[in-house]
Amino acid sequence: MPGSLEPLDVGVQIPYHFRCPISLELMRDPVTVSTGQTYDRPSIESWVATGNTTCPVTRVPLTDFTLIPNHTLRRLIQEWCVANRSFGVERIPTPKQPADPATVRTLLHQAGSESTPIQLRLSALRRLRGLARDSEKNRSVISAHNPRELLLSVLFSNTNLDSTELNHEALAILCLFPLTESECVFVGSDSDRVNYLVSLLFHSLMEVRVNSAALIEIVVAGTRSTELRSEICNAEGIYEGIIGVFNCPIAYPRALKVGIKALFALCLVKQHRHRAVAAGAVEALIDKLADFEKCDAERALATVELLCRIPTGCAAFAGHALTVPLLVKIILKVSDRATEYAAGALLSLCSAAEVCQREAVAAGVLTQLLLLVQSECTERAKRKAQMLLKLLRDSWPEDSVGNSDDFACSDVVPY
């Protein structure tokens, strides 16, 4: 080894019986199988998931695939970790136990039984919610018991009263599971159910508002019928509520993520895009555009392009001083899809208003577009860039016109 590197400390050895026989690593969640052998849970689950039906050590067929937590061994491993802390060994955390099918069935029964006391039903829903949040595997176990019908029933019961904790817990769990199309139709085809969800968008608790926005997005996105989607989007206050969620403080990042998903889903319905503009979507999108992560930035830019395709949306974006500079700045910075959407929005804006053309040129769009047409981005993005370059030709600075002949701006296919 180079003299500047310290040799590894081999002064601590992991006891043999603390190692998983499959991975040979220190076990973090030891479980015992039907043969009596103990393995680390992720290792034995992976072994079984690949089609193996025998015990890895004994090769004896597994008569039961139940994994029993070995609490005694796990506590011994934790004590060993603490005793060897001076060697840099970190104590393994106590693992959360996965959802047990029998427990899930009991909790669902308690939650759905109207004869059960409210507090017991509420406790059952909270436990289900905790299990669902813990892991994808838990959600799989819960989903296998088809909880959505029961949760929808709980959510939309007593909607004529002030929102109860029972409804809120059911709503929170539903947001963790995809709904079938028939379940989306069940919600979206009933104006009372849609109006109830819209009313929750204005609830005093931010979590309730965000969960309602999430369920509305799931329902709209999961409904194939364009007529039904249009009816949902026509609900009074739905755009104002979604944009209210979207405009929440940056300290609540989930609201921003859910808000843009919901707003994008609503704006896919062309008939009501003007309502999004009237509700303040333009100002909200421009104000938040710099705060999005990659996937959400793509949705935000796609929403901007959609709204730029209607006259009121195009005029509103053109009237915002930051629109064009922001789109020019972001056009090559996020992803190929984002580039396509930003170029499409700029094309709509510059086609509608000469002032946007001047703003785009002043913001440096020419350099961005020339880089774009030479890049490996999508063909649609290149076509939009070429159309925009052609449109801006009269606005180019004189020293740029001579260089522009190297780019095929005239051979453009409309998008």
Side-chain angles (χ1 to χ4, degrees):
M1 294 177 65
S4 60
L5 296 179
E6 292 291 331
L8 293 174
D9 185 353
V10 293
V12 59
Q13 295 289 336
I14 300 175
Y16 174 78
H17 54 285
F18 288 179
R19 293 177 181 267
C20 173
I22 298 175
S23 68
L24 302 181
E25 300 290 337
L26 181 70
M27 288 188 280
R28 305 176 69 83
D29 187 6
V31 292
T32 302
V33 298
S34 59
T35 60
Q37 294 293 325
T38 297
Y39 303 93
D40 203 15
R41 184 186 294 276
S43 297
I44 190 63
E45 285 181 340
S46 178
W47 169 267
V48 173
T50 54
N52 294 293
T53 59
T54 59
C55 173
V57 171
T58 65
R59 298 296 177 181
V60 173
L62 294 170
T63 56
D64 183 355
F65 292 96
T66 302
L67 305 178
I68 302 172
N70 192 327
H71 297 298
T72 301
L73 180 56
R74 189 248 308 151
R75 283 192 288 268
L76 288 172
I77 293 173
Q78 289 175 323
E79 290 171 3
W80 176 85
C81 290
V82 171
N84 288 276
R85 187 178 299 165
S86 61
F87 294 100
V89 179
E90 294 184 5
R91 181 182 183 276
I92 63 169
T94 300
K96 292 182 178 179
Q97 294 307 309
D100 174 65
T103 301
V104 169
R105 283 193 296 270
T106 300
L107 292 174
L108 286 171
H109 175 74
Q110 290 176 344
S113 173
E114 294 188 3
S115 61
T116 301
I118 290 292
Q119 282 306 120
L120 188 55
R121 295 179 70 189
L122 188 58
S123 175
L125 284 172
R126 284 173 175 164
R127 285 188 62 191
L128 279 170
R129 184 182 180 187
L131 288 171
R133 282 182 165 179
D134 278 348
S135 69
E136 179 63 37
K137 183 179 178 183
N138 282 1
R139 289 191 290 277
S140 226
V141 172
I142 296 170
S143 186
H145 291 79
N146 192 23
R148 297 179 302 275
E149 182 178 345
L150 180 149
L151 293 169
L152 286 169
S153 175
V154 173
L155 171 61
F156 294 112
S157 63
N158 301 317
T159 56
N160 58 320
L161 304 176
D162 188 30
S163 297
T164 65
E165 289 184 87
L166 207 62
N167 299 66
H168 299 165
E169 286 298 328
L171 173 63
I173 301 171
L174 275 168
C175 294
L176 300 173
F177 297 94
L179 299 185
T180 65
E181 185 179 4
S182 63
E183 289 161 346
C184 291
V185 170
F186 169 80
V187 177
S189 61
D190 188 301
S191 60
D192 288 339
R193 295 184 189 119
V194 174
N195 289 333
Y196 176 61
L197 289 178
V198 172
S199 73
L200 293 182
L201 292 173
F202 300 91
H203 197 274
S204 59
L205 294 176
M206 178 57 71
E207 185 180 26
V208 175
R209 296 168 62 190
V210 172
N211 287 337
S212 182
L215 188 58
I216 288 173
E217 186 275 331
I218 290 170
V219 170
V220 173
T223 302
R224 293 186 186 180
S225 167
T226 54
E227 293 81 5
L228 184 53
R229 289 168 69 185
S230 180
E231 286 179 21
I232 297 169
C233 294
N234 198 35
E236 188 66 33
I238 192 168
Y239 287 95
E240 289 80 2
I242 294 296
I243 291 168
V245 170
F246 186 80
N247 275 330
C248 76
I250 196 65
Y252 204 96
R254 181 170 171 254
L256 191 62
K257 183 178 289 290
V258 169
I260 190 55
K261 285 184 72 175
L263 183 59
F264 174 65
L266 296 181
C267 288
L268 285 173
V269 181
K270 185 177 181 180
Q271 301 96 303
H272 302 297
R273 286 177 194 163
H274 65 281
R275 295 184 57 203
V277 176
V282 170
E283 295 79 5
L285 283 164
I286 294 302
D287 289 347
K288 300 289 186 181
L289 202 53
D291 299 328
F292 290 109
E293 297 177 359
K294 178 181 174 180
C295 187
D296 299 323
E298 290 178 352
R299 284 196 188 91
L301 288 167
T303 307
V304 171
E305 185 181 14
L306 288 173
L307 294 179
C308 280
R309 292 180 184 176
I310 62 170
T312 55
C314 196
F317 277 114
H320 197 298
L322 294 179
T323 299
V324 173
L326 266 176
L327 290 174
V328 171
K329 181 179 179 180
I330 206 171
I331 195 167
L332 288 172
K333 288 192 173 179
V334 180
S335 67
D336 286 349
R337 283 187 177 183
T339 294
E340 181 182 322
Y341 302 140
L346 282 169
L347 180 58
S348 294
L349 291 167
C350 292
S351 298
E354 288 188 10
V355 65
C356 290
Q357 296 180 20
R358 293 191 293 271
E359 289 177 0
V361 171
V365 74
L366 299 178
T367 301
Q368 299 285 67
L369 294 175
L370 294 175
L371 289 171
L372 197 163
V373 296
Q374 297 177 89
S375 70
E376 296 182 358
C377 65
T378 66
E379 288 303 314
R380 285 173 61 86
K382 287 184 180 181
R383 287 199 298 270
K384 292 177 183 180
Q386 289 171 341
M387 294 173 72
L388 191 49
L389 280 167
K390 184 179 180 182
L391 180 66
L392 296 175
R393 192 179 185 93
D394 293 338
S395 303
W396 292 8
E398 301 236 343
D399 57 352
S400 299
V401 175
N403 297 329
S404 67
D405 295 332
D406 296 333
F407 300 93
C409 299
S410 58
D411 300 328
V412 174
V413 180
Y415 74 101

